[in-house]
Amino acid sequence: MSEQQEQFALPIATDSVDNYVGGEWVTPSGGESQPVVDPATNEELTTVPFSTEDAVDEAVRTADEAFKSWRQTPVTKRIQPLFDLKTELEDRIDEIAVALSHEHGKTVEEARGEVRRGIENVEVACGMPNMFREGSGNVEDVAPEMDEYAVRQPLGVFTAITPFNFPAMIPLWFLPYAVATGNTFVLKPSEKVPLSSQLIFEAVDAAGFPDGVVNLVNGGADTVNTLLEHPDVAGVSFVGSSPIAKHVYETAAQNGKRVQAQGGAKNYAVVTENAEVEASVPNIIGSVYGNAGQRCLANDVVVGVGDAYDPLREQLIEAAEDLTVGAGVDEETDVGPLITADSRNRVLDLIDNALDEGAELVLDGRDFDHPDAELDGHFLGPTLLEGVTTDMEIAQEEIFGPVLCLASADDLDEAIEMVNSTKYGNASSLYTESGSEARQYKYEVDAGNIGINVGVCAPMGFFHFGGRKESFFGDLHAQGEDAVNFYTEKTIQIERWYS
Ligand code: NAD
């Protein structure tokens, strides 16, 4: 084993991942299971059990029981285990990042960054005493000797159902806020990447939450549907593809639950004649090909406006050609594998359809074959198409792979029309040095997140995060003040005293 292989060996050895319920690790029994595969090598890392209805019921009841005393615990005390969770996670950053890189395929550096972004949410939630106070409403003298005020109260058991592409960060968009506001919590991570959650829950275990406040159930669609219908689940946070987000939103709402469901995306970047093209290109390349394009904020269509097109095209090709494809645990790697063979085939179909519809291949990563025979995973080399127009499937559907689509527009008005042509509204970026172009873009583009001269990354924990149109189903988004409102109900209290 080389020094690097040793440094980045899988830090967790287990035949099967466990659930974490009531402060104990539990091996779920009776259900089906599925292998968890390293997407770079096709090597089986572990198996993931699909928790049965009984196992889900046990976790939810345990969380519901714990809610009785957790809701009575003052907010200043509830945040204490979060301070410890921050430290426990920080002590494990490298370990989590390496496990994440093995099960997901992203580079260890990207994985480290992801864990840090997750920890940031724990830090923000540590300020819950102040966040809790804001917006609660102060005592009001509403009539002679009569006061009226609003008091925030938690609601019960919340669940979060998360996708494969950020297995450390996305659970932490929810867990810290749910418990700091006085609720109890059940996480159902993606069955494709369950190892990161095992390590995060080792940190949870060490952080000293009372038993039952934070729980973990592994599983797939049936596990999710049991949670959505469980009478003791008060609310659901979901992140994943739009069709499943819509299903979760509808099913949870029909079952009387609070729900926020973040879906898929189609993010355009626009580069105008007023842009600093040379300075912008590395940033655009990072947004398109980072995480092998498997990001809900990835810009996968880049529109060059007028004379900006030719220099942009030339520099993007040059930069994309320079990217190194390989395993995430190889420090030379820029672009890791796709998560599954099915995901890779889906992207290949999108490319083939684009070619049938008239796009042209400038860089073709379809036949990429890694020289290291052990790396026979789901790789796709950086691919670049040009001549992409908005009537093509590839210009409308999320790609979720290392593919850049180049398109052109005569002016900014036309480019904005292209950006708004999709059913999604997660993010979009404009590259320009013109303030008036930037202002027009910010007001006319229908997306929840706008970047000016920067590809959008997940907002800091004290801001809300969510898209528009079919990128989001619900009202209150994740993180920040929206999270406090999502996880609490304000009770109006009116009172007078006679003696
Ligand atoms: P996915 O929708 O396949 O899975 C997400 C979760 O839903 C998983 O936990 C999975 O077990 C569960 N699930 C899958 N099928 C189900 C079904 N039929 N019924 C009930 N539950 C089901 O998504 P994915 O492939 O893991 O993640 C990629 C998608 O997530 C992309 O579309 C990406 O844009 C999106 N995403 C969005 C955001 C955002 O903030 N908007 C962030 C990250 C990822």
Side-chain angles (χ1 to χ4, degrees):
M1 200 187 265
S2 72
E3 207 176 298
Q4 192 172 326
Q5 280 170 325
E6 213 167 288
Q7 184 190 354
F8 293 140
L10 185 68
I12 170 171
T14 174
D15 292 339
S16 174
V17 297
D18 284 334
N19 290 351
Y20 181 84
V21 177
E24 304 280 340
W25 289 102
V26 192
T27 306
S29 58
E32 291 173 7
S33 62
Q34 175 175 297
V36 178
V37 173
D38 184 327
T41 59
N42 265 322
E43 183 196 344
E44 189 171 319
L45 301 173
T46 185
T47 54
V48 58
F50 283 21
S51 299
T52 58
E53 240 178 89
D54 285 349
V56 173
D57 184 53
E58 174 72 22
V60 174
R61 279 164 182 267
T62 304
D64 197 39
E65 193 54 37
F67 177 62
K68 289 177 189 151
S69 52
W70 187 242
R71 69 170 300 168
Q72 307 290 349
T73 308
V75 62
T76 47
K77 283 227 162 18
R78 289 200 299 259
I79 58 170
Q80 297 310 317
L82 287 173
F83 284 106
D84 291 340
L85 179 60
K86 167 186 156 64
T87 313
E88 295 293 341
L89 286 169
E90 271 175 351
D91 288 349
R92 291 171 172 81
I93 287 181
D94 284 341
E95 204 184 29
I96 299 172
V98 171
L100 200 164
S101 175
H102 275 283
E103 66 178 355
H104 175 283
K106 70 179 70 179
T107 68
V108 174
E109 206 40 49
E110 287 171 330
R112 277 198 197 103
E114 172 184 343
V115 184
R116 287 208 172 279
R117 296 304 315 274
I119 292 173
E120 185 189 293
N121 277 280
V122 181
E123 292 167 351
V124 172
C126 284
M128 193 53 73
N130 207 30
M131 295 170 86
F132 221 57
R133 193 174 52 83
E134 281 165 10
S136 286
N138 294 323
V139 176
E140 291 285 348
D141 232 353
V142 293
E145 294 183 29
M146 194 181 287
D147 298 328
E148 188 169 36
Y149 49 99
V151 173
R152 280 193 191 281
Q153 297 190 320
L155 293 158
V157 181
F158 275 81
T159 183
I161 297 147
T162 55
F164 81 85
N165 64 332
F166 284 94
M169 178 177 71
I170 294 183
L172 295 171
W173 286 351
F174 306 107
L175 185 162
Y177 303 103
V179 299
T181 49
N183 301 283
T184 52
F185 185 76
V186 180
L187 173 69
K188 204 300 285 174
S190 166
E191 62 277 31
K192 292 172 189 156
V193 287
L195 286 169
S196 305
S197 298
Q198 296 289 287
L199 294 172
I200 288 173
F201 270 72
E202 282 182 12
V204 165
D205 191 50
F209 290 97
D211 293 349
V213 169
V214 190
N215 306 276
L216 165 71
V217 291
N218 288 287
D222 290 347
T223 314
V224 171
N225 291 326
T226 306
L227 283 165
L228 299 181
E229 287 165 14
H230 198 291
D232 293 333
V233 169
V236 180
S237 302
F238 174 88
V239 183
S241 57
S242 288
I244 310 298
K246 193 159 185 256
H247 159 74
V248 167
Y249 179 72
E250 289 172 353
T251 313
Q254 269 163 17
N255 283 279
K257 302 182 192 321
R258 219 166 242 215
V259 52
Q260 51 181 195
Q262 295 180 216
K266 184 76 193 171
N267 311 312
Y268 281 51
V270 172
V271 182
T272 77
E273 289 173 348
N274 293 308
E276 292 284 349
V277 174
E278 198 178 331
S280 308
V281 162
N283 187 262
I284 298 172
I285 289 286
S287 174
V288 176
Y289 295 109
N291 235 355
Q294 300 172 113
R295 289 196 316 128
C296 69
L297 294 166
N299 285 323
D300 55 11
V301 180
V302 181
V303 183
V305 178
D307 290 344
Y309 184 84
D310 287 339
L312 177 68
R313 174 188 187 276
E314 190 189 322
Q315 291 177 44
L316 284 174
I317 295 169
E318 207 176 299
E321 275 173 337
D322 261 4
L323 296 171
T324 304
V325 182
V329 290
D330 181 340
E331 280 178 322
E332 301 295 308
T333 295
D334 299 305
V335 178
L338 296 188
I339 186 72
T340 59
D342 282 350
S343 303
R344 183 173 177 278
N345 289 335
R346 206 191 123 266
V347 178
L348 290 175
D349 285 347
L350 277 170
I351 297 171
D352 287 345
N353 287 349
L355 297 179
D356 288 346
E357 288 174 320
E360 282 175 45
L361 260 177
V362 181
L363 272 184
D364 186 356
R366 291 176 297 173
D367 293 330
F368 176 85
D369 193 13
H370 202 284
D372 180 345
E374 276 183 26
L375 296 183
D376 65 346
H378 323 127
F379 292 104
L380 192 62
T383 297
L384 200 150
L385 291 155
E386 72 174 332
V388 172
T389 49
T390 51
D391 53 347
M392 296 178 184
E393 182 192 25
I394 204 158
Q396 295 296 323
E397 294 301 329
E398 186 170 35
I399 303 176
F400 240 53
V403 180
L404 190 158
C405 298
L406 257 180
S408 61
D410 289 338
D411 53 30
L412 186 59
D413 288 341
E414 189 193 344
I416 290 176
E417 228 172 87
M418 294 167 76
V419 173
N420 287 336
S421 70
T422 81
K423 63 187 177 210
Y424 299 104
N426 215 34
S428 185
S429 291
L430 177 72
Y431 292 82
T432 182
E433 294 299 309
S434 153
S436 63
E437 284 184 344
R439 189 168 193 281
Q440 180 186 354
Y441 204 80
K442 287 187 280 185
Y443 280 88
E444 293 184 10
V445 165
D446 196 1
N449 303 275
I450 307 267
I452 303 295
N453 294 317
V454 64
V456 177
C457 47
M460 304 288 290
F462 35 81
F463 291 117
H464 74 265
F465 179 30
R468 296 185 187 163
K469 301 198 279 188
E470 293 204 14
S471 294
F472 181 72
F473 302 88
D475 308 289
L476 295 164
H477 298 86
Q479 301 189 158
E481 191 187 333
D482 269 24
V484 184
N485 287 323
F486 181 71
Y487 288 124
T488 57
E489 185 86 272
K490 283 187 238 170
T491 312
I492 296 297
Q493 302 190 355
I494 182 161
E495 64 190 30
R496 71 153 33 129
W497 302 91
Y498 292 105
S499 59

